[in-house]
Amino acid sequence: MGDSILYSSPYNDDDYEKFLKDLIKRFEMDLTGYKQHRVRRRIDMLMRKHDYKSYSEYFNDLKSSDILWDEFLDKLTINVTEFFRNPEKWDYLKKDLLPKLYKEANNSLKIWSAGCSTGEEPYTLSIILNESNMSRNSKVIAADLDKFVLKRAQEGIYDERSLVNVDNSIKTKYFTKLQNNKYQVSPKLKSLINFKRINLLTDKFDTNHDLIICRNVVIYFDNPAKEALYKKFVDALKPGGVLFVGSTERIFNYREIGLKTIAPFFYQKEN
């Protein structure tokens, strides 16, 4: 598994390999491209919590228990996000990048939030597009592997801490305050977004995107999966389209795959 030297599991290695294959067959969840020391450590932690002696025993119960499966998904998928995370990046996107892309695309944008988690990122995009008068004829595709976080994203209800970077004027305009200090996004924000379940490692991608945002996702992939994914993203962009990655996800071979840098963590597909 390559990364196994970084973590020594108390459970059987062959049983683990079978567990990964069973996940694909039963749940269409492919974890083989992820860094296995991270994945296996989290699975082992869950197994110890419930006193399982083998992966096969754990898998049998995962098949029949929604509670166990929900816990498994929650532990295996990283869903830490907030609106306007790293505000200076969104400021550049709003003031410089999106207006250029919008003009070049004849006032119509196709944007993909890949690994959208609970939805803060695509809704942030929707806010920017609405505030900058770029929402007309534009659309945002928001995709994630985890169907449970997608459901939460579609509901669009958030704790106050998720809105820490949102100005009060924006909060008042696009959110309704609910009980228990929760906020719900407006139908206007939702109307721009199409939520989809996509496996970044195995599914075919749509093409001709003006902008793809994939932040803090590929850090959990091993190097071969990471390189393959970046190539797929390049193919999914239109010429001149831009890939926006996370602050720990610098692409070192960007020239080899047809990209150039236009700002820190922003890569543009060569024409």
Side-chain angles (χ1 to χ4, degrees), residues 182-235:
K182 291 189 180 292
Y183 291 81
Q184 183 160 31
V185 299
S186 70
K188 188 173 186 178
L189 291 187
K190 288 186 178 186
S191 66
L192 279 184
I193 303 171
N194 180 19
F195 289 98
K196 292 182 177 180
R197 186 169 183 253
I198 293 178
N199 186 323
L200 293 176
L201 296 180
T202 58
D203 290 345
K204 291 183 73 173
F205 297 167
D206 198 5
T207 55
N208 287 316
H209 293 93
D210 297 286
L211 173 67
I212 296 174
I213 303 178
C214 187
R215 305 172 75 206
N216 309 307
V217 175
V218 302
I219 53 171
Y220 303 104
F221 295 169
D222 61 26
N223 284 332
K226 196 183 296 186
E227 289 175 12
L229 179 60
Y230 283 140
K231 286 175 184 172
K232 287 175 72 176
F233 279 149
V234 172
D235 290 340

Side-chain angles (χ1 to χ4, degrees), residues 1 13-26 29-34 36 39-40 43 55 59 72 76:
M1 276 293 174
D13 290 348
D14 291 338
D15 194 24
Y16 177 67
E17 296 287 345
K18 184 176 184 304
F19 179 82
L20 293 178
K21 291 173 183 173
D22 287 341
L23 281 175
I24 296 171
K25 288 179 190 171
R26 180 70 167 77
M29 187 174 192
D30 189 349
L31 297 174
T32 56
Y34 290 77
Q36 289 306 306
V39 170
R40 193 166 181 180
I43 293 171
Y55 296 107
F59 184 77
F72 178 81
L76 265 292

Side-chain angles (χ1 to χ4, degrees), residues 91-112:
D91 205 41
Y92 166 72
L93 213 135
K94 178 181 179 178
K95 292 179 179 176
D96 295 296
L97 182 60
L98 281 177
K100 288 177 186 173
L101 292 176
Y102 189 66
K103 185 178 179 182
E104 288 166 6
N106 296 318
N107 301 338
S108 166
L109 287 171
K110 182 179 180 181
I111 303 173
W112 177 17

Side-chain angles (χ1 to χ4, degrees), residues 14-206:
D14 291 338
D15 194 24
Y16 177 67
E17 296 287 345
K18 184 176 184 304
F19 179 82
L20 293 178
K21 291 173 183 173
D22 287 341
L23 281 175
I24 296 171
K25 288 179 190 171
R26 180 70 167 77
F27 296 106
E28 297 181 351
M29 187 174 192
D30 189 349
L31 297 174
T32 56
Y34 290 77
K35 292 177 180 175
Q36 289 306 306
H37 64 286
R38 292 176 185 262
V39 170
R40 193 166 181 180
R41 186 184 290 118
R42 290 178 184 180
I43 293 171
D44 288 0
M45 192 162 53
L46 289 170
M47 288 171 59
R48 282 194 294 271
K49 175 183 174 182
H50 298 293
D51 201 29
Y52 285 104
K53 307 300 183 201
S54 69
Y55 296 107
S56 55
E57 182 189 353
Y58 182 42
F59 184 77
N60 282 335
D61 285 353
L62 280 178
K63 290 190 293 185
S64 57
S65 170
D66 289 340
I67 293 172
L68 276 180
W69 179 245
D70 288 357
E71 180 191 51
F72 178 81
L73 278 178
D74 189 52
K75 181 59 70 176
L76 265 292
T77 53
I78 309 303
N79 299 311
V80 179
T81 186
E82 61 193 25
F83 289 86
F84 293 93
R85 188 178 185 183
N86 306 119
E88 71 284 355
K89 300 287 187 290
W90 292 102
D91 205 41
Y92 166 72
L93 213 135
K94 178 181 179 178
K95 292 179 179 176
D96 295 296
L97 182 60
L98 281 177
K100 288 177 186 173
L101 292 176
Y102 189 66
K103 185 178 179 182
E104 288 166 6
N106 296 318
N107 301 338
S108 166
L109 287 171
K110 182 179 180 181
I111 303 173
W112 177 17
S113 170
C116 71
S117 186
T118 45
E120 288 91 334
E121 182 174 276
Y123 286 128
T124 297
L125 278 166
S126 187
I127 290 170
I128 289 173
L129 292 173
N130 275 288
E131 285 294 291
S132 305
N133 297 315
M134 291 185 285
S135 60
R136 188 179 178 187
N137 298 324
S138 295
K139 64 178 180 177
V140 176
I141 299 100
D144 203 281
L145 173 64
D146 185 340
K147 64 182 179 182
F148 296 101
V149 298
L150 278 175
K151 185 180 178 186
R152 286 171 59 192
Q154 287 171 301
E155 288 169 352
I157 298 173
Y158 300 95
D159 293 327
E160 194 164 25
R161 68 175 182 271
S162 295
L163 282 75
V164 64
N165 295 317
V166 179
D167 291 340
N168 284 330
S169 60
I170 297 294
K171 199 184 291 186
T172 303
K173 188 172 180 180
Y174 294 107
F175 294 84
T176 301
K177 189 169 184 179
L178 308 176
Q179 294 177 334
N180 303 321
N181 284 328
K182 291 189 180 292
Y183 291 81
Q184 183 160 31
V185 299
S186 70
K188 188 173 186 178
L189 291 187
K190 288 186 178 186
S191 66
L192 279 184
I193 303 171
N194 180 19
F195 289 98
K196 292 182 177 180
R197 186 169 183 253
I198 293 178
N199 186 323
L200 293 176
L201 296 180
T202 58
D203 290 345
K204 291 183 73 173
F205 297 167
D206 198 5

